Amino acid sequence: NAGVTQTPKFRVLKTGQSMTLLCAQDMNHEYMYWYRQDPGMGLRLIHYSVGEGTTAKGEVPDGYNVSRLKKQNFLLGLESAAPSQTSVYFCASSHPPERNSPLHFGNGTRLTVT
Amino acid sequence: KNQVEQSPQSLIILEGKNCTLQCNYTVSPFSNLRWYKQDTGRGPVSLTIMTFSENTKSNGRYTATLDADTKQSSLHITASQLSDSASYICVVSASYKLSFGAGTTVTVRA
């Protein structure tokens, strides 16, 4: 039972390059989330999904796209990377929030954009 | 705007000592309050989830309190261990939308 797995763990991009961050969960959770964590700030929600085939914008969605083609996978894409997107990205999953169940996080992807 | 403020920003304690972390929030309407532990280089891990009707909840040496009237919560660590060195994040849910505090970094020294 791996929980939430993120790949890659580290990545360096040049401005303008694109990439996709992968997230997989094996807990049969309906909800999945992408957050970014920056020094001195709380985690901020980028996009989320309430089920297979659905996505929604979070607090800071600009410059990112997501897809949830399968229930267990949630992909985060950067179309044209900018230095402001240098951050640590966390994927999380959970049961529906009204069940008051915790978020389960992956161990993050550290992205540097030069 | 929903906000979650944590204090102190960081603290250093000696192994075996106790410490208390604070969380104040302006989030409404309140759904629940969560504490997470985040080790360096890892994702956050849930410690407790408290609903409106709960004012104390324990998880081993971690005890969380909630005062929904004053919108304050605390996390008490008893008999600290080196493995308690981490960032502790307070998360408040308003209509199930989560607001994250910036965290308190705890360093436990031998």
Side-chain angles (χ1 to χ4, degrees):
Chain A
N1 191 346
V4 178
T5 303
Q6 292 184 234
T7 53
K9 290 184 172 57
F10 302 94
R11 186 71 186 268
V12 178
L13 289 179
K14 293 184 178 179
T15 297
Q17 289 184 320
S18 63
M19 77 163 293
T20 300
L21 282 66
L22 310 178
C23 177
Q25 54 97 2
D26 60 3
M27 295 170 284
N28 200 34
H29 286 159
E30 290 291 335
Y31 281 61
M32 295 188 74
Y33 316 80
W34 277 106
Y35 290 92
R36 61 177 289 172
Q37 187 175 42
D38 299 295
M41 302 179 69
L43 283 127
R44 293 182 292 169
L45 182 64
I46 304 170
H47 286 282
Y48 65 100
S49 168
V50 302
E52 179 179 320
T54 72
T55 63
K57 293 180 179 180
E59 183 183 354
V60 288
D62 293 342
Y64 306 95
N65 58 75
V66 288
S67 65
R68 185 134 180 236
L69 299 180
K70 294 183 178 181
K71 184 177 183 179
Q72 63 267 34
N73 297 334
F74 196 29
L75 279 58
L76 177 71
L78 282 72
E79 299 161 341
S80 178
S84 61
Q85 293 178 305
T86 293
S87 187
V88 181
Y89 292 85
F90 287 98
C91 176
S93 69
S94 74
H95 291 300
E98 56 268 25
R99 290 174 58 175
N100 289 327
S101 59
L103 268 64
H104 295 262
F105 286 88
N107 284 325
T109 295
R110 184 172 296 275
L111 175 66
T112 302
V113 183
T114 61
Chain B
K1 180 180 179 182
N2 291 330
Q3 286 193 320
V4 179
E5 301 290 338
Q6 293 188 243
S7 62
Q9 187 174 11
S10 62
L11 66 93
I12 300 172
I13 58 174
L14 292 176
E15 189 178 14
K17 299 297 185 181
N18 304 334
C19 68
T20 300
L21 316 180
Q22 300 292 339
C23 175
N24 297 337
Y25 61 92
T26 59
V27 168
S28 66
F30 179 86
S31 298
N32 58 62
L33 185 143
R34 307 152 181 240
W35 284 95
Y36 285 82
K37 178 186 179 189
Q38 185 176 19
D39 293 319
T40 300
R42 310 279 286 186
V45 174
S46 177
L47 292 176
T48 65
I49 297 176
M50 302 178 72
T51 59
F52 186 86
S53 60
E54 298 172 299
N55 54 26
T56 302
K57 201 161 191 178
S58 292
N59 177 356
R61 294 179 296 101
Y62 301 102
T63 299
T65 65
L66 172 64
D67 186 333
D69 291 332
T70 63
K71 297 188 176 181
Q72 296 180 324
S73 176
S74 66
L75 180 70
H76 186 76
I77 304 175
T78 303
S80 61
Q81 300 177 358
L82 296 178
S83 60
D84 293 329
S85 293
S87 177
Y88 293 84
I89 302 172
C90 176
V91 185
V92 185
S93 175
S95 298
Y96 306 111
K97 178 181 176 182
L98 301 180
S99 295
F100 287 77
T104 293
T105 300
V106 174
T107 302
V108 181
R109 293 197 172 155

